[in-house]
Amino acid sequence: GESVGLHLPTLSVQEGDNSIINCAYSNSASDYFIWYKQESGKGPQFIIDIRSNMDKRQGQRVTVLLNKTVKHLSLQIAATQPGDSAVYFCAENRDRYKLIFGSGTRLLVRP
Amino acid sequence: GAVVSQHPSWVICKSGTSVKIECRSLDFQATTMFWYRQFPKQSLMLMATSNEGSKATYEQGVEKDKFLINHASLTLSTLTVTSAHPEDSSFYICSAGGRQGAPDEQFFGPGTRLTVL
């Protein structure tokens, strides 16, 4: 069935380095994508979103890239900090409100 | 703005009992609320979508008679896990959508940890 998935289950980076978290989606009709950060025992926290009419969107220290040709989404975090350690999920907005979450990537930041 | 709360934050109950979880949008009216379940080290799985004043729409494989959802007002939705069993132990997360000016966004609650003994 259609799904949103991630390539890497765990990513370990050195503090100060840039992080790149990837996500593949299979529904070519999806037009809205969101990245969430989830810390242990908490609900998902919105990071950044992008619509399908864009290839790139930047926020504070974060950039989301969308490649519709290969149905790939990535989240780039610049100058990764210890507070960035969490699980990151991409989500695909389907049927207007319905969100389909990817499997998640755990980001570990080494001091 | 766009704060969503859940109560309780954690609950422990005996097998066979029912547990009610509340989800509130504190500073906006949510026309739609969603309930997710998350098992350890897994992703969020949508259980059901509820619109204020109407019956919830359940995802495939989710028993509507076991997971009762009520969305009686634009700021409150409840999830009742009936006759809970240990396999229902999970992290239940709600989200609220339909905020004016942000129709596509969902705002998530902090989650409720349910442990069934």
Side-chain angles (χ1 to χ4, degrees), chain B residues 66-84:
Chain B
K66 180 169 181 64
F67 299 99
L68 302 179
I69 292 172
N70 183 282
H71 192 165
S73 77
L74 287 171
T75 59
L76 173 65
S77 176
T78 61
L79 168 69
T80 301
V81 183
T82 62
S83 186

Side-chain angles (χ1 to χ4, degrees), chain A residues 32 34 36 38 41-46 49 51 89-90 93 96-104 106, chain B residues 31-32 34 36 38 41-44 46 51 59 91 93 97-98 103-106 108-111 113:
Chain A
Y32 181 50
I34 312 105
Y36 290 96
Q38 187 180 29
K42 297 183 179 180
Q45 176 187 352
F46 174 92
D49 59 0
R51 296 196 179 275
F89 294 97
C90 65
N93 190 301
R96 194 174 182 186
Y97 294 132
K98 186 172 176 178
L99 283 180
I100 304 299
F101 280 79
S103 55
R106 180 173 298 280
Chain B
T31 54
T32 308
F34 305 84
Y36 295 83
Q38 185 178 32
K41 298 183 180 180
Q42 293 188 22
S43 187
L44 283 75
L46 180 65
N51 292 293
E59 294 300 300
F91 194 49
I93 307 170
D104 291 336
E105 288 190 49
Q106 289 187 30
F108 285 84
R113 174 77 60 192

Side-chain angles (χ1 to χ4, degrees), chain A residues 80-94:
Chain A
T80 312
Q81 302 169 0
D84 295 327
S85 293
V87 177
Y88 290 80
F89 294 97
C90 65
E92 168 189 9
N93 190 301
R94 193 180 296 180

Side-chain angles (χ1 to χ4, degrees), chain A residues 18-34:
Chain A
N18 297 334
S19 303
I20 300 176
I21 300 172
N22 296 301
C23 176
Y25 66 95
S26 56
N27 187 347
S28 57
S30 295
D31 61 359
Y32 181 50
F33 304 88
I34 312 105

